[in-house]
Amino acid sequence: MNAPASPAPARPMARGRMFFANPGPTNIPDSVLLATARASIDFNDPAFLAVYDSCVAGLKKVLKTTQHLFMYTASGHGAWEASLVNTLSPGDLVLIPETGYFSDSWAKMCGALGFEVRMVPADWRRGCEIAAIEAALAEDMAAPAGPRIKAVCCVHNETAAATRLPIEQVRAAMDRRAHPALLMADTISSLGCYDFRMDEWRVDVCVGGSQKGLMLPTGFSFTGASEKALAAHRASTHPRHYFDWTEMLARRHKSFVGTVPVTLFYGLAEALRLMLEEEGLDNVFARHARLARAVRACVQHWSGNNGPQLFCQNPERYSDSVTAVWMPEGHDAEAVRRIALERFNVSTGGGLGKLAGKVFRIGHLGDLNEPMVLGTLGAIEMALGLAGVPHAKGGVQAAMESLSAG
Ligand SMILES: *Cc1c(COP(=O)(O)O)cnc(C)c1O
């Protein structure tokens, strides 16, 4: 019989939820999804303004700041751009500690926007040395014409390498050298996952986005700005309009040049309620730390028999929101990801930039619990076996023991 050809489904009909272990976007809690299922409302309607104002207050609590917050209808890249063009002027020099794909992307953006970039080179598997950052600052302070570096742009959680850069130590290095630059931090994949303290660490500009630790759909991002950043803004001559903070400050919402993404704020109000009231921020951080330890215990177990390893080789820099897994020589990370997805309905993150095919990434941030992590690890362990990747069996057992220990 000649049946008409129909396209084969990408994977068999899968029941149950896809286990989503990407490091962004992340799982969205059901109550947040439901909260966003609302009819449109005028963004100047008092009923909406009450929700909006409570979201601004809640988001400042998550950033641990009492200073300024500017929000944009854009993904994290938009908030990066907004932060740069509002505080710097063409030709300004920025210092960027190398951490991985995201520090390099931010540097690329700086170059495209007309800033001069100086990188602090680093091994992606170990993270940027604070001493190297401090040496670059010291050299700049000693320049005969005075310091030129206007901003130090750090990625708090380097999502591509799964490493953490301790921002408080960067602040301490700047203080030791009495360097006057602005301290900027990309907290896109750490905020709501592990501790970040904008005011205490005297971060001048910090960038966050909706679709990672905040457990929301993609679509809005924001900048926390210190008084010092605002002063820099007043002196900045960079052209801008959509992202202009002065334009924003003249508006009722003190943010958004253009339409406010109203439904996302209904979701944000619920996400903030979950984080700040129902679970509590410290418990959110403790949960991420616990799940991250279990994932690392699993990968460290797999590394026996010349198996895959933790990409990060510096335990002080382990990320609590994502783990990157370094494949043994001659094995393709994409093959493992494909089997995990097509056979077991588990979605993981791929390697970015020069790590493509060499690592896969397990996102463990946002709306996630122990059985979800175990299910993900179990699927990956099966995929390693099916892809013929050498590894020590029993990684999931190691994760179970880690979780049982608390
Ligand atoms: C996801 C991410 C970005 C980019 O954000 P988009 O929302 O995709 O534009 C930037 N920095 C880090 C550290 C990220 O994890």
Side-chain angles (χ1 to χ4, degrees), residues 95-99 119-137 152 154 163-166 169-170 173 176 313-314 316-317:
L95 185 74
I96 303 188
E98 181 181 359
T99 49
M119 297 298 289
V120 183
D123 176 346
W124 289 15
R125 295 193 72 177
R126 301 204 56 83
C128 196
E129 297 285 349
I130 300 299
I133 300 170
E134 186 166 347
L137 292 167
V152 181
C154 304
T163 56
R164 183 179 69 89
L165 180 65
Q169 291 180 28
V170 177
R176 281 194 295 275
Q313 293 179 312
N314 181 356
E316 286 176 12
R317 298 292 179 89

Side-chain angles (χ1 to χ4, degrees), residues 21-360:
N22 283 47
T26 63
N27 295 290
I28 302 172
D30 290 348
S31 65
V32 171
L33 284 172
L34 285 169
T36 60
R38 295 274 295 260
S40 294
I41 181 171
D42 189 316
F43 57 83
N44 286 307
D45 189 307
F48 175 69
L49 288 173
V51 173
Y52 181 87
D53 290 344
S54 78
C55 284
V56 171
L59 211 42
K60 285 187 182 179
K61 276 187 196 156
V62 177
L63 289 169
K64 299 190 175 170
T65 185
T66 57
Q67 303 182 73
H68 304 276
L69 180 68
F70 297 103
M71 295 177 278
Y72 329 97
T73 309
S75 80
H77 280 78
W80 266 354
E81 183 158 332
S83 302
L84 297 167
V85 300
N86 272 292
T87 55
L88 302 174
S89 297
D92 277 357
L93 175 63
V94 300
L95 185 74
I96 303 188
E98 181 181 359
T99 49
Y101 177 83
F102 285 101
S103 66
D104 288 6
S105 305
W106 208 1
K108 211 185 278 179
M109 177 185 280
C110 287
L113 291 171
F115 308 117
E116 191 185 325
V117 177
R118 189 175 294 164
M119 297 298 289
V120 183
D123 176 346
W124 289 15
R125 295 193 72 177
R126 301 204 56 83
C128 196
E129 297 285 349
I130 300 299
I133 300 170
E134 186 166 347
L137 292 167
E139 189 192 322
D140 190 51
M141 286 303 286
R148 279 196 57 217
I149 295 168
K150 291 289 193 296
V152 181
C153 300
C154 304
V155 178
H156 188 209
N157 188 74
E158 171 54 70
T159 323
T163 56
R164 183 179 69 89
L165 180 65
I167 301 296
E168 65 279 27
Q169 291 180 28
V170 177
R171 166 45 71 193
M174 291 174 75
D175 287 350
R176 281 194 295 275
R177 298 295 163 179
H179 201 291
L182 296 171
L183 175 56
M184 300 198 185
D186 169 343
T187 67
I188 294 174
S189 60
S190 55
L191 200 67
C193 306
Y194 57 87
D195 204 10
F196 177 77
R197 303 175 180 218
M198 176 174 156
D199 287 357
E200 189 181 320
W201 299 345
R202 299 196 339 277
V203 175
D204 295 298
V205 169
C206 61
V207 172
S210 56
Q211 80 275 22
K212 298 191 183 176
L214 294 181
M215 311 180 289
L216 291 164
T218 310
F220 96 96
S221 55
F222 49 89
T223 307
S226 70
E227 294 300 338
K228 182 174 165 181
L230 228 56
H233 168 67
R234 288 189 285 270
S236 151
T237 60
H238 204 287
R240 57 195 174 239
H241 178 74
Y242 181 64
F243 288 125
D244 188 48
W245 292 352
T246 299
E247 285 277 336
M248 293 179 188
L249 287 170
R251 285 160 209 258
R252 162 63 178 83
H253 297 77
K254 308 275 183 231
S255 282
F256 297 107
V257 173
T259 304
V260 178
V262 165
T263 45
L264 282 174
F265 276 87
Y266 288 123
L268 177 59
E270 172 60 11
L272 289 168
R273 191 192 68 78
L274 294 176
M275 295 171 79
L276 297 171
E277 293 170 32
E278 192 172 297
E279 189 174 5
L281 211 45
D282 289 341
N283 293 326
V284 171
F285 297 158
R287 174 170 54 82
H288 280 84
R290 195 164 66 241
L291 299 179
R293 273 197 304 274
V295 171
R296 291 193 292 265
C298 177
V299 178
Q300 279 166 330
H301 186 95
W302 287 337
S303 70
N305 297 339
N306 301 314
Q309 302 172 5
L310 291 175
F311 181 72
C312 177
Q313 293 179 312
N314 181 356
E316 286 176 12
R317 298 292 179 89
Y318 286 152
S319 162
D320 279 348
S321 56
V322 55
T323 297
V325 183
W326 177 245
M327 295 294 289
E329 193 63 39
H331 292 274
D332 181 9
E334 291 306 301
V336 177
R337 290 185 63 220
R338 202 160 39 241
I339 294 170
L341 181 64
E342 291 176 2
R343 287 278 302 265
F344 307 118
N345 208 22
V346 168
S347 175
T348 54
L352 297 177
K354 69 182 185 187
L355 299 181
K358 297 184 189 313
V359 306
F360 63 89

